[in-house]
Amino acid sequence: MTTLLQAYANLTARLGALDWVIPTLARLVFAAVLLIYFLNSGMTKLGDGLLGILTPSAGAYAQIFPKTFEAVGYDSDAMGVLHWGMVVAGTLAEFILPTLIVLGLLTRLAALGMIGFVLLQSLTDIYGHGQWDALGTWFDRFADGTILDQRALWIFLLIALVIKGAGPLSFDRALKPAHG
């Protein structure tokens, strides 16, 4: 029995040395599963022209402020400057934060920002768009709840990056001052 326990301890010690794999794979999985999702979502919010980020599409207001936008008759000119600022900031976040994560640049901060983004996105989907059926239930036999199931996994992935950082293959590591 002692030999078996020693073999297990040796194996787990070797696995512990592979600690760098977690953040590296987390960024790879984020890129494979969520990068295009967020970039495409950001694209739907852009207005026309070169400075489309500053003239959000009607769809941007409909996605982010569904009830308010409906209340003003779907007239984006009737939305206030605060609404405009939040739409522009949210759209920028959909482009910048995922890109930073994939590059491994300011990864912990970007992942923390993405956690906040996903939480706001989820609350907007539930309360703004009334997608209660997408909520799902934890601890049931179904893993298909868009909000509680899928987004819990997204947030867990992002928490790993907040805690572990970007890993060795990243701009964060390249920019880290060398210790002498």
Side-chain angles (χ1 to χ4, degrees):
M1 185 61 127
T2 304
T3 305
L4 185 60
L5 290 175
Q6 185 59 45
Y8 177 74
N10 289 339
L11 175 63
T12 57
R14 279 189 238 129
L15 290 172
L18 297 175
D19 195 40
W20 63 272
V21 172
I22 301 299
T24 304
L25 287 178
R27 288 181 34 240
L28 178 65
V29 169
F30 181 90
V33 176
L34 295 173
L35 177 64
I36 302 303
Y37 168 83
F38 283 111
L39 294 179
N40 282 340
S41 179
M43 292 297 289
T44 67
K45 294 175 179 73
L46 296 178
D48 293 329
L50 188 60
L51 296 176
I53 189 74
L54 299 176
T55 57
S57 68
Y61 291 102
Q63 289 177 52
I64 298 173
F65 295 107
K67 291 183 178 180
T68 305
F69 197 49
E70 180 183 17
V72 298
Y74 301 103
D75 178 11
S76 55
D77 292 333
M79 301 294 282
V81 69
L82 182 62
H83 293 105
W84 172 85
M86 291 177 72
V87 167
V88 169
T91 304
L92 284 170
E94 280 190 295
F95 290 114
I96 294 170
L97 296 175
T99 302
L100 289 174
I101 288 171
V102 171
L103 294 174
L105 180 61
L106 304 173
T107 306
R108 286 184 162 108
L109 185 60
L112 196 57
M114 282 303 305
I115 290 169
F117 189 95
V118 170
L119 290 172
L120 284 172
Q121 172 190 23
S122 300
L123 291 171
T124 301
D125 286 344
I126 295 166
Y127 294 107
H129 296 286
Q131 293 182 350
W132 291 96
D133 57 332
L135 187 60
T137 305
W138 278 351
F139 306 106
D140 62 1
R141 62 188 177 103
F142 304 106
D144 61 351
T146 301
I147 296 173
L148 284 180
D149 295 331
Q150 288 180 11
R151 293 188 188 163
L153 290 171
W154 297 2
I155 289 173
F156 180 77
L157 181 76
L158 293 164
I159 288 171
L161 292 172
V162 169
I163 293 169
K164 293 290 192 181
L169 303 172
S170 66
F171 281 101
D172 284 348
R173 181 65 56 96
L175 297 174
K176 188 176 185 180
H179 290 83

